[in-house]
Amino acid sequence: QIIAREFSKSFAEHDMENIRHLFGRYVPMLYALAAYFGVFLAFQSETLLGIFVSDEFEGAYFVLMIMAFYPIHQTYGQLNSSLFFSIENTRQYKNIGIVSSLIGLVLSYVFIYELEMGAVGFAWKMVLGQLIGVNIQLYFITRFLKVKLTSFVKHQLVGSLFFVAIAYLVSLAPWLVDKGLLSFVFDGFLYTVLVTIGAFLFPSIFGLTRIELTNFIYKIKTVGRVT
């Protein structure tokens, strides 16, 4: 809501440079945060089912794994829609929504009817439909803002691979406990440590520079000492 308000305020003041700055800074950052949680939950899907549901749902872990990626690009969808409404371009937003719905129907037909993949097919339809839809929105937004589409697409790919690689390494950790709440906590701790190290090595994953990241941590330490 805060970002949407800033978009609206900047558009009213004809400050396109600030809109470009806000979009280029916060979209990669929030996407990375969503990917941090989504990718980890995807790799922990089997463990989560073991914690929260009975054994009869054991086979649903692959569906949960796929659906864990859905909120990642939903972040793009929410920020894109905020910008469309802020710049009062609801007609284009509606038209893209119609096209995305038609693409979703095609995906449903392919995965559910033709390939008969059931719940797994529906999960693929949801994730791929979201991925295609938000990138169509992104194409028109980058044209409006006069910024490069390729930088955002590259960040989506590199960011996702970054978290997938770390989550995969964590999944190989030889904990001396069975899969359950304890292993989930251990994996989460190790995953967070490795992501933190990776953030220092590749701060652009979070849309930051190394100086900005260092200043941010310094501010947290300062607040902690004052408290």
Side-chain angles (χ1 to χ4, degrees):
Q1 295 299 322
I2 294 173
I3 296 174
R5 185 191 65 190
E6 291 299 316
F7 282 153
S8 299
K9 179 182 176 183
S10 298
F11 184 70
E13 296 173 351
H14 305 288
D15 189 355
M16 294 302 300
E17 188 59 39
N18 192 46
I19 294 178
R20 278 191 285 268
H21 169 72
L22 291 171
F23 194 82
R25 179 178 180 83
Y26 290 107
V27 167
M29 184 186 298
L30 294 174
Y31 175 85
L33 287 173
Y36 164 79
F37 289 104
V39 171
F40 178 70
L41 293 178
F43 275 80
Q44 296 291 320
S45 58
E46 192 171 3
T47 301
L48 287 172
L49 287 175
I51 294 172
F52 292 107
V53 299
S54 58
D55 294 340
E56 61 184 298
F57 292 97
E58 184 179 356
Y61 83 93
F62 191 55
V63 176
L64 180 59
M65 176 183 288
I66 298 170
M67 287 302 299
F69 286 88
Y70 183 81
I72 299 176
H73 277 86
Q74 191 177 31
T75 303
Y76 258 101
Q78 291 173 335
L79 293 169
N80 288 348
S81 61
S82 295
L83 184 55
F84 274 113
F85 281 98
S86 298
I87 63 177
E88 302 174 1
N89 195 355
T90 54
R91 176 177 291 183
Q92 190 172 65
Y93 179 74
K94 176 199 70 176
N95 293 337
I96 295 172
I98 293 172
V99 172
S100 299
S101 297
L102 293 175
I103 293 172
L105 286 174
V106 173
L107 292 174
S108 295
Y109 176 81
V110 172
F111 285 115
I112 300 174
Y113 181 76
E114 284 291 331
L115 300 179
E116 298 181 352
M117 295 176 66
V120 173
F122 182 75
W124 278 117
K125 174 262 177 185
M126 292 290 291
V127 173
L128 291 177
Q130 176 85 336
L131 173 65
I132 294 170
V134 298
N135 277 286
I136 293 173
Q137 292 176 346
L138 186 62
Y139 169 76
F140 287 100
I141 284 175
T142 53
R143 284 187 61 186
F144 173 77
L145 296 178
K146 297 179 180 178
V147 295
K148 290 184 178 180
L149 172 65
T150 52
S151 62
F152 290 97
V153 174
K154 179 182 176 182
H155 180 265
Q156 291 177 51
L157 294 172
V158 173
S160 296
L161 289 174
F162 171 81
F163 291 105
V164 165
I166 293 177
Y168 175 72
L169 288 174
V170 170
S171 70
L172 300 177
W175 302 123
L176 300 177
V177 292
D178 295 330
K179 282 189 176 295
L181 182 59
L182 196 58
S183 69
F184 180 80
V185 172
F186 286 164
D187 283 352
F189 175 76
L190 179 59
Y191 177 74
T192 302
V193 170
L194 293 178
V195 167
T196 302
I197 294 172
F200 273 102
L201 296 175
F202 309 103
S204 60
I205 295 293
F206 288 88
L208 299 169
T209 64
R210 189 167 283 106
I211 294 175
E212 289 173 331
L213 187 62
T214 304
N215 290 338
F216 177 72
I217 294 174
Y218 175 77
K219 289 178 181 178
I220 293 177
K221 288 183 179 178
T222 303
V223 171
R225 284 197 291 266
V226 172
T227 305

